[in-house]
Amino acid sequence: MAAARTAVWWAVALGVVWWEAVGCGAQPVVVASYGQPRLWLKPYDWSYLRVELPASFSSVTMDFATDIDIQREHLKDLPRRELAIICLMNSNPPIPDISDSFLDSLLSNFLAVGSFGSTNNQSNLAQCIPFQKNTTIVLRNDQISPGIWYIGYFNGLGPARTQSKMISRGRARSVSTSITIEGCPTSALRGPYCNETIETISCSQSSRYSKSRNLIDLNIDERKSLNTREHKRHINFLSQWNHLDEKGVGSNSTTYMRMENSITCAISNDSLCLRHGDIKFYFLDVVNIALQFEITAMNFGSSQKSLICYLRYNALPQRDLHDYSGDISSAPLVLKLPNIGRWYIAIETVNKAQMNSTASAPLLDTTCFSLEWQVTGCLNGKAGTNCSWEAYVLQRVPKRSPSVPFESYYVPTDERASLQNSHFSLEQFLSNSSNEPFAWTYFFLDIPHGSAGALIHVQIKSDKELNYELYSKYGGLPSNDNWDYYASRTSSSTGAVFFSLQNSTNADMDLSIFYAKEGTWCFGVKHPSDKATSQTYMSISLQGCHRNCNQKGVCHSSIDESGLTFYSFCTCDRDHGGFDCNEELVSPNGHIWQSVFLIASNAAAILPAFWALRQKAFAEWILYTSSGISSALYHSCDVGTWCILSFRVLQFMDFWLSFMAVVGTFIYMATIDEASKRAMHTAVFILTAILAATGATRSANIGIVVAIGSLGLLIGWLLEFSTARRFICWSWRINLNIPQRWPSFRSLLWNTLELLNKRFRWLYLLLGFVTLAFAATSWKLESNSSYWIWHSLWHITIYTSSFFFLCSMRIDTVNHSPEPNYELTRQDSLPRSESRETS
C-alpha cells in the first residue's frame, strides 16, 4: 500500500532548452484574454481581478484606462485619500502597504520607470502603480512566473473612517482593463519569444533505507505504526543491517535508520554538449514536499573550464538574476528543502582563465558531459533534514452554517484527533529526540481553490508557560533559516503586511496569515525534545475576517471580478477603521460630541419655521418643521442612537425635505397666486424626490437644487408680471426705429429696478446668499474624518439662509403676504405716446 501511494508521490519533468537567437523560433500566439469593462470605485472602495497565466505563456500585456489624467510630477502632491492605485501580486489578492516609505518608493519608481517595480516571485509585497489615463504594461515569462496572479484596484488609501452608514465624500473613479496573454503554439517551445526547445527526459524512482547515526530509532512502537506489508519489508531490511528480528532493535544498538524516496534523472554525454558562451536550460517540477535535490556533473574532464549552474524558482534564471548558483564541475549543487513548484536550471561553461582575469580567453572546443538530478524526500510520515521528525497531514473540516463560503478548520487525519473538535491536543503528536535539545513537528494543510481571500488562524493555548516556536512556509518545509512567517511567545516576524500576532501571553499564542495563498502550507512547531508535562491545545482554521473585525465591524464576503475567488472584508463601525477595524479613529467622548452636534444643529430649522408661522405661511411652516425633525431623526439613527424607521427611509426623507426647503424658499419669494404655487410645488416634489432617491449624497445636487429654485423664482415673477394689464397689452409690433424705442426700454428697466428695490430688504437678501454659499462650501468640504463638523455647519447655514431670504421679503401687514407692487403696470408710469397706442 505504501509503495503504491508513493508511486504517485513525485512527478518530475525535465527538459532541455536550446538558447537561440531572437526571431529563430515560432511566433507567439494569443492563448487567453481577459476583459474588464468600466469598473466604478467609490471613495475608499476596492476590487480584485484574478488572472491565470498558463505554463506555456510567453508574455502578458495589460492595458489600463482610467478617468484620471494627472501629471506625473504632481502625483506626490496628492493626499493619500485621493490616491488611486493598481496592484499586482502572485497567488493571493494584494493588500497595499500604506506606510509613507512604501508610498514614496511606489511613486518614485513609477515616475522613473512608469511600470510595476520588482516582480520577484518570492515577494510578499504587492507591486503597485497609480492610476493614469492610459497605461500599457508588458511582462515576459523571464520576469514573472506562470500561475495565478491578482490585480487589485484601490480608490483611496489609509485607515479611513468608514463609519458604516455615514457618508463617504470623494470622487468615484473608473478603470477599464484589457489583458492579452500570448504563448507558444506547441508544448515543445518555451521562452519570451518561443525560440527555446524543450525535450522531455525519463526519470526513475526508488525507495531506499540509508544507514547513519543520530537519525530515527525504529523501535517496536514505531514499527507497529506501519501497515502490515510495509512492516514486514521494513523488518527484513533492518535484519540485514543489524541482525534484528521482528521483536525489535537490540538494546545495545546504536545504529539508526531512515527511509527515503528518491527520483533520479540523468543525461548522457552523447546528448549534452556545450560550446563556449552557450547556455542550456532545464526545468524540474517538484510536486510534493522534498528533503533536497542535488545536481551533479559527470564525465566532465576539462581542467580549463568550469560548469556553472543557476537555479531560479518559477522563472528562467539569468546570469545576474537567480536564486542559487554554483560550480558543479568540482562539487554537486545541493538545495535543501526546495519549494513545491517548477525550478528552472541553467548550465553554462566558463573558462577558468576568464573567471580569474579580465583578459579575454581563447575559445575552446565543444565540451560534452552528463548531468544527474536526484530529488529526495521522506516516507512514512517523516520530515526534516534527516527525516527524523514527525509530519502530519491535516484534514479540512467545513464549519456548519458558515458566515463565509470557505470557513473550516483543520485536524490531523489520526484516530487521536476528533473531527468534531476544532482543536487537538498538541503533546501527543510531538516528535521525540534524545540527541538534540529541540525537536520539530510539522503539520501540512491545503488551502482550497478559490479561497485565497481567506486567512489562516493558528492558536496555541497551554496550561503552563509556552516554550514553543511556530514557523510557517508556503510550498515547503520551514526551518531556522528559511521561513515565510515566524512567531514565538515573545517575538514574531516584522514588516509583514499579511501577518499578525496579537493578544499573545505566556500561555497563549494567536497569529493570523491574511489572504493565504492557495496550495500547500506547512507549519513547523519547534519545541523542547523532552516530554512536556503541560496540556497544550492547537487549532488551525480558515476564516473570513481577522478576529471577526475585532468586534468593531461586520465581516462580509464578496467575489472577485472573474467570479473565481471569494474574499472577505470588514465594514467597520462609526468610530473605527483599517483592514480589520482595529484602529480607533474617534474616541467614545468624541463620538458623543459629534452625535450631539449632528442632531442638535438641526434646531436651526426653528428660525425659518417660526417666521413662516408668524406670517401665517402654513405650508412653509410645515415644510421647515418636518425637514428639521426628519434630519434630526436621520442623524440619530446614523450615529447609532435610535432608529424610528429604517436608515434608507430616514436618509431619503432627510435629503428630500432639505431639497424641498431650499426650493420652497425661492418659490415663496415669488408672489403668485395659490393655484400657481401648488402647481410649482407639485413639479418640485417630483424633481427633488428623484434626486433624493437616485443620488442623495452627490455634491452636484446642491447646484441642481439652487438652479431649480432660481428657475421657480423666475417663473413666479413672470407669472406675477403677466397679470399686469400693461404687460399684457404690450405692443409686439416690430419697430426698427431703435432711437424712438429707447425711452420705453429705459423706462421699463428703471421701473423694474425700482420694483425690486421696494420688494426686498437688500441686507437680508445679501446675508441669505452669503449663508447659502457657505452651506454649499460646507457640503463640499465634508470628508470621512471631518463629516460631523461640516455637516453640522451645513444644517445651520442652510436653514439660516432660508430665514434670511424670508426676512428679505417686504410683507403686507394687512394680508400677511409678500406685498405686491405693480409699478410697471400703472398708466402714468409709461410714456404718453405709448398710452395713446394702448387706448
Side-chain angles (χ1 to χ4, degrees):
M1 294 294 293
R5 287 195 300 270
T6 58
V8 293
W9 191 71
W10 290 102
V12 179
L14 288 170
V16 181
V17 183
W18 302 98
W19 187 266
E20 299 178 351
V22 175
C24 295
Q27 291 296 322
V29 297
V30 176
V31 296
S33 61
Y34 293 81
Q36 170 62 55
R38 187 171 295 273
L39 174 66
W40 284 96
L41 299 173
K42 298 179 181 178
Y44 294 101
D45 197 5
W46 68 91
S47 185
Y48 294 112
L49 174 64
R50 175 184 176 130
V51 179
E52 296 189 27
L53 302 181
S56 61
F57 98 100
S58 59
S59 65
V60 55
T61 302
M62 294 178 284
D63 294 306
F64 302 103
T66 72
D67 60 348
I68 301 179
D69 192 13
I70 302 174
Q71 297 296 325
R72 289 193 176 188
E73 56 270 17
H74 296 157
L75 284 173
K76 286 192 174 184
D77 299 330
L78 287 178
R80 189 177 300 182
R81 66 177 182 273
E82 297 180 11
L83 185 61
I85 63 174
I86 302 171
C87 296
L88 180 69
M89 192 163 186
N90 187 10
S91 301
N92 57 304
I95 302 176
D97 188 348
I98 61 174
S99 63
D100 293 335
S101 59
F102 174 80
L103 293 178
D104 289 342
S105 175
L106 181 157
L107 295 176
S108 299
N109 176 78
F110 181 75
L111 292 176
V113 181
S115 181
F116 291 107
S118 172
T119 50
N120 190 319
N121 300 307
Q122 304 293 339
S123 176
N124 285 326
L125 293 177
Q127 304 298 323
C128 304
I129 59 173
F131 275 24
Q132 288 286 279
K133 193 70 174 180
N134 292 288
T135 305
T136 299
I137 297 173
V138 180
L139 297 171
R140 304 186 308 272
N141 71 348
D142 57 350
Q143 296 174 300
I144 63 174
S145 64
I148 299 172
W149 287 81
Y150 287 90
I151 301 175
Y153 310 89
F154 303 89
N155 182 19
L157 302 177
R161 186 181 179 189
T162 55
Q163 298 183 110
S164 184
K165 299 174 181 179
M166 284 198 176
I167 303 169
S168 294
R169 293 298 183 198
R171 289 193 58 184
R173 299 296 184 186
S174 67
V175 56
S176 301
T177 306
S178 177
I179 299 177
T180 302
I181 303 173
E182 292 187 335
C184 302
T186 66
S187 59
L189 298 174
R190 287 290 189 275
Y193 310 102
C194 295
N195 59 344
E196 301 160 356
T197 305
I198 295 182
E199 221 177 280
T200 303
I201 299 174
S202 61
C203 306
S204 62
Q205 178 178 347
S206 64
S207 298
R208 73 177 189 270
Y209 291 91
S210 62
K211 180 179 180 180
S212 61
R213 295 184 181 273
N214 299 329
L215 295 178
I216 301 174
D217 188 357
L218 296 173
N219 54 35
I220 297 176
D221 293 335
E222 289 174 326
R223 284 185 281 124
K224 286 183 178 179
S225 67
L226 303 175
N227 60 59
T228 304
R229 183 176 177 181
E230 185 68 22
H231 172 71
K232 291 181 178 179
R233 187 169 67 88
H234 190 81
I235 294 300
N236 292 335
F237 190 88
L238 288 179
S239 61
Q240 297 177 12
W241 280 85
N242 289 321
H243 308 288
L244 302 177
D245 55 20
E246 292 193 6
K247 293 183 179 180
V249 180
S251 60
N252 297 325
S253 174
T254 59
T255 302
Y256 301 90
M257 308 301 302
R258 70 177 179 183
M259 187 174 181
E260 296 176 350
N261 184 50
S262 65
I263 293 179
T264 304
C265 304
I267 304 176
S268 67
N269 61 348
D270 294 334
S271 60
L272 182 54
C273 297
L274 276 178
R275 294 178 302 176
H276 179 77
D278 287 347
I279 300 180
K280 288 192 175 181
F281 290 85
Y282 312 85
F283 66 85
L284 170 66
D285 283 334
V286 178
V287 296
N288 213 326
I289 298 297
L291 179 64
Q292 67 179 35
F293 75 73
E294 180 179 304
I295 303 175
T296 306
M298 298 177 294
N299 302 325
F300 186 76
S302 176
S303 60
Q304 300 180 11
K305 289 184 179 181
S306 293
L307 196 61
I308 307 301
C309 177
Y310 304 99
L311 291 177
R312 191 179 178 192
Y313 180 66
N314 264 356
L316 291 177
Q318 303 173 23
R319 291 185 180 93
D320 56 350
L321 182 59
H322 51 267
D323 297 329
Y324 304 94
S325 66
D327 184 357
I328 60 174
S329 61
S330 56
L333 178 60
V334 179
L335 178 59
K336 299 288 187 180
L337 306 178
N339 275 16
I340 294 175
R342 176 161 293 184
W343 287 87
Y344 286 89
I345 305 163
I347 304 292
E348 73 166 339
T349 58
V350 178
N351 291 337
K352 291 183 178 180
Q354 188 175 6
M355 293 176 62
N356 300 327
S357 174
T358 57
S360 59
L363 296 179
L364 300 179
D365 295 335
T366 300
T367 304
C368 296
F369 53 92
S370 58
L371 289 178
E372 181 180 282
W373 285 262
Q374 188 176 71
V375 185
T376 306
C378 303
L379 293 178
N380 300 327
K382 299 297 181 180
T385 305
N386 296 319
C387 294
S388 56
W389 311 126
E390 300 291 341
Y392 301 93
V393 176
L394 301 183
Q395 179 178 352
R396 177 172 172 260
V397 182
K399 291 185 177 180
R400 295 181 179 179
S401 303
S403 57
V404 290
F406 39 72
E407 280 192 331
S408 52
Y409 59 89
Y410 293 85
V411 292
T413 55
D414 191 284
E415 59 184 11
R416 291 171 288 179
S418 173
L419 296 180
Q420 303 300 322
N421 298 323
S422 60
H423 60 272
F424 55 90
S425 177
L426 186 58
E427 278 80 12
Q428 60 182 329
F429 295 100
L430 296 181
S431 302
N432 295 324
S433 175
S434 59
N435 302 286
E436 299 181 24
F438 287 93
W440 287 77
T441 302
Y442 299 98
F443 298 96
F444 296 93
L445 59 90
D446 185 71
I447 302 300
H449 181 84
S451 59
L455 66 85
I456 302 176
H457 179 226
V458 183
Q459 192 171 24
I460 300 177
K461 288 186 175 182
S462 178
D463 58 354
K464 295 184 179 179
E465 184 174 310
L466 282 174
N467 196 16
Y468 297 155
E469 298 178 9
L470 186 64
Y471 298 78
S472 63
K473 187 179 179 183
Y474 174 73
L477 281 176
S479 64
N480 287 320
D481 304 321
N482 192 356
W483 42 264
D484 292 334
Y485 304 105
Y486 158 78
S488 68
R489 179 174 51 84
T490 58
S491 63
S492 66
S493 54
T494 58
V497 178
F498 292 86
F499 178 76
S500 173
L501 178 68
Q502 288 188 345
N503 299 336
S504 293
T505 63
N506 290 337
D508 189 358
M509 188 186 302
D510 192 317
L511 61 94
S512 299
I513 300 175
F514 307 144
Y515 287 1
K517 300 177 182 179
E518 302 171 4
T520 302
W521 281 81
C522 180
F523 288 87
V525 179
K526 185 180 179 181
H527 53 88
S529 57
D530 57 336
K531 283 288 185 180
T533 59
S534 60
Q535 184 65 41
T536 306
Y537 290 96
M538 184 176 186
S539 65
I540 303 178
S541 59
L542 194 64
Q543 298 180 357
C545 296
H546 182 224
R547 301 183 64 83
N548 197 23
C549 300
N550 288 285
Q551 311 304 320
K552 301 297 189 300
V554 180
C555 183
H556 299 277
S557 62
S558 185
I559 195 168
D560 79 301
E561 298 299 324
S562 69
L564 299 175
T565 301
F566 286 95
Y567 64 93
S568 57
F569 62 94
C570 289
T571 301
C572 304
D573 63 19
R574 297 155 180 84
D575 302 332
H576 295 82
F579 175 77
D580 55 357
C581 303
N582 194 40
E583 298 190 38
E584 184 182 73
L585 304 178
V586 180
S587 64
N589 288 335
H591 179 81
I592 293 174
W593 280 109
Q594 293 180 17
S595 302
V596 171
F597 270 86
L598 284 169
I599 297 173
S601 59
N602 290 282
I606 295 176
L607 294 174
F610 176 77
W611 189 96
L613 181 63
R614 185 177 180 181
Q615 304 304 323
K616 296 184 179 181
F618 297 112
E620 284 74 13
W621 169 68
I622 294 175
L623 181 60
Y624 296 127
T625 303
S626 59
S627 175
I629 293 175
S630 66
S631 181
L633 293 175
Y634 160 65
H635 287 288
S636 176
C637 178
D638 190 29
V639 299
T641 303
W642 178 55
C643 294
I644 188 173
L645 296 171
S646 68
F647 176 83
R648 185 174 182 85
V649 173
L650 290 173
Q651 187 184 58
F652 169 79
M653 292 295 295
D654 174 38
F655 282 86
W656 178 46
L657 291 175
S658 296
F659 295 158
M660 278 299 304
V662 174
V663 180
T665 301
F666 282 93
I667 295 177
Y668 182 78
M669 295 172 68
T671 54
I672 56 178
D673 59 89
E674 289 297 322
S676 300
K677 185 180 293 186
R678 286 196 301 270
M680 294 181 65
H681 276 163
T682 302
V684 170
F685 285 160
I686 297 173
L687 293 176
T688 54
I690 293 174
L691 288 177
T694 57
T697 62
R698 290 179 303 183
S699 298
N701 284 343
I702 295 298
I704 296 175
V705 169
V706 172
I708 294 175
S710 302
L711 181 62
L713 179 60
L714 178 61
I715 294 175
W717 282 350
L718 291 176
L719 291 175
E720 177 186 341
F721 295 158
S722 68
T723 59
R725 178 172 58 88
R726 183 67 194 125
F727 187 80
I728 296 175
C729 297
W730 177 262
S731 176
W732 295 101
R733 290 178 300 173
I734 299 177
N735 191 342
L736 298 180
N737 190 355
I738 296 179
Q740 185 179 0
R741 279 295 196 182
W742 174 244
S744 300
F745 283 107
R746 183 174 57 185
S747 177
L748 176 64
L749 178 61
W750 177 257
N751 287 326
T752 301
L753 293 177
E754 186 179 359
L755 170 65
L756 293 176
N757 184 48
K758 292 182 178 181
R759 173 69 60 84
F760 297 106
R761 297 183 177 94
W762 289 97
L763 177 61
Y764 287 104
L765 190 65
L766 178 62
L767 291 175
F769 280 111
V770 170
T771 51
L772 180 63
F774 192 64
T777 303
S778 301
W779 179 281
K780 187 68 176 178
L781 292 177
E782 289 177 9
S783 64
N784 284 359
S785 59
S786 61
Y787 170 80
W788 67 278
I789 181 63
W790 289 114
H791 199 72
S792 298
L793 291 175
W794 152 264
H795 291 156
I796 296 172
T797 52
I798 195 65
Y799 287 124
T800 304
S801 67
S802 297
F803 173 72
F804 284 140
F805 281 131
L806 294 175
C807 290
S808 68
M809 299 290 296
R810 296 183 183 274
I811 303 301
D812 185 352
T813 57
V814 177
N815 299 323
H816 295 282
S817 62
E819 185 176 346
N821 196 327
Y822 300 111
E823 294 287 342
L824 291 178
T825 64
R826 294 198 305 222
Q827 297 291 332
D828 56 359
S829 64
L830 298 177
R832 187 177 304 274
S833 60
E834 287 294 329
S835 300
R836 285 196 300 268
E837 287 184 15
T838 304
S839 60

